[in-house]
Amino acid sequence: MSEQTGSVLAEENGSARSLILNRPKSINAIDHEMVTEMAKLLDGWATDDAVAAVVLYGAGERGLCAGGDIVAIHRDAAALSGNPDATDLDAENSPSAKFWFDEYRLNAAISRFPKNYVAIMDGIVMGGGVGVSAHGNTRVVTDRTRLAMPEVGIGFVPDVGGTHLLSRVPDGLGLYAGLTAAHLSGADAIAMGLADHYVPSESLPEFIEAIGSSGLDAALGRFATEAPESKLAAQRGWISEAFAAETVSEIIERCRAVGTEEATKTADTIAAKSPTALAVTLRSLREAAGDATLEDTLVREYRVSLRCLLHPDMAEGIRAQVIDKDRNPSWAEFSEASVEKFFAPLPHDLTFDA
């Protein structure tokens, strides 16, 4: 039974509730209205005794969610970075900042959800899609999963708690994912600890129905299978050594020194990204590794995200990849001194309810 229509659908399925992202033409890209609606539904279900589990999935065949609406974010980034007088307060007052403020709070709420939160990470799962799925307590990937934190490719830095997740992946594989924006398979996600269960995509409709009729444990017992071998994890030897370097430039040098086709391709991939975004990402991931909670990381990510709006690389990266699609960004000159500014407290920082 549907409780509403629109970009977020809520359907009753026995003892479960399906939470469906419903913008299939944009691979269910998340906007502010969707974040608000998801938060409201989850808040209600958390205290509803009739609800044993929530199952998140995306409408259409292409994936769970391709991320946030970066065309809208580009408007703010272009206006703010193009104004030499723009301040932190101007960034905080932008629609993008208000979206992130509520989105990051939703990410934290998902991590604390008191019932089974089953995220079906099928197809494309990128950026904001990771934020609404990978913080859940039951993360399901498939043979079609293509998971990524692609932010550095547009002059941005992994957010939605992505630096918290990636910083806890051992052997440099999380750093690899963050600095290359690589697409990860379902098998990769399992091996990296970013997902918990592997269910063949053809079984998903029956699996989702079984959660509501038989319960989560029975559904997993019936449909979950062993994941294939991870191609990325098989390369952990050279990745661990190369990504232990102190700086991005040293990581690139170590990759080139490995000399294999894959390592050289990795070096070339990183070298093509925004130098500023790469440096800020590397520091963000290493600081997140020491955070006590996801909320600690989200506060830092909020600061970094707003400073990205003020830096020219984000507007330029989105222009090159999404607006003009020439794939030829002209990155700003990198300054090591500028990195520190991304992490300073904001006039009105992100906060969480007690």
Side-chain angles (χ1 to χ4, degrees), residues 130 170 231 277:
V130 175
K231 294 181 180 179

Side-chain angles (χ1 to χ4, degrees), residues 93-110:
N93 287 328
S94 70
S96 294
K98 297 179 188 306
F99 164 59
W100 286 327
F101 190 94
D102 289 336
E103 182 186 27
Y104 298 174
R105 289 168 63 87
L106 172 64
N107 301 147
I110 288 170

Side-chain angles (χ1 to χ4, degrees), residues 154 255 259 287 297 329 337:
I154 57 168
C255 288
E287 291 199 9
T297 301

Side-chain angles (χ1 to χ4, degrees), residues 3 14-17 44-54 113 115-116:
E3 296 178 7
S15 63
R17 297 295 180 270
W45 289 334
T47 57
D48 187 342
D49 292 340
V51 179
V54 171
F113 193 70
K115 302 179 181 182
N116 293 321

Side-chain angles (χ1 to χ4, degrees), residues 147-149 166 169-194 228-241 243 255 262-263 265-266 270:
L147 185 151
M149 296 300 294
L166 295 179
V169 179
D171 299 325
L173 298 180
L175 283 172
Y176 172 94
L179 296 179
T180 64
H183 287 202
L184 307 173
S185 69
D188 294 334
I190 292 282
M192 295 170 70
L194 300 175
E229 292 295 319
S230 164
K231 294 181 180 179
L232 180 60
Q235 302 176 68
R236 68 172 72 241
W238 73 263
I239 289 175
S240 178
E241 181 177 348
F243 283 79
C255 288
E262 187 60 43
K265 180 180 177 182
T266 296
I270 297 173

Side-chain angles (χ1 to χ4, degrees), residues 33 67 93 150 160 179 210 253-254 322:
E33 181 182 357
N93 287 328
V160 297
L179 296 179
E253 289 175 6
R254 288 194 185 186
V322 179

Side-chain angles (χ1 to χ4, degrees), residues 147-265:
L147 185 151
M149 296 300 294
E151 288 78 8
V152 290
I154 57 168
F156 193 29
V157 175
D159 66 334
V160 297
T163 61
H164 180 87
L165 295 164
L166 295 179
S167 71
R168 283 153 176 75
V169 179
D171 299 325
L173 298 180
L175 283 172
Y176 172 94
L179 296 179
T180 64
H183 287 202
L184 307 173
S185 69
D188 294 334
I190 292 282
M192 295 170 70
L194 300 175
D196 309 299
H197 306 281
Y198 190 94
V199 174
S201 57
E202 63 184 14
S203 300
L204 287 178
E206 292 176 280
F207 172 64
I208 292 169
E209 182 179 0
I211 294 171
S213 61
S214 305
L216 176 59
D217 289 343
L220 287 170
R222 181 179 172 192
F223 293 102
T225 64
E226 185 176 354
E229 292 295 319
S230 164
K231 294 181 180 179
L232 180 60
Q235 302 176 68
R236 68 172 72 241
W238 73 263
I239 289 175
S240 178
E241 181 177 348
F243 283 79
E246 288 297 314
T247 66
V248 174
S249 61
E250 290 171 343
I251 289 173
I252 293 172
E253 289 175 6
R254 288 194 185 186
C255 288
R256 296 202 190 283
V258 172
T260 64
E261 180 180 355
E262 187 60 43
T264 300
K265 180 180 177 182

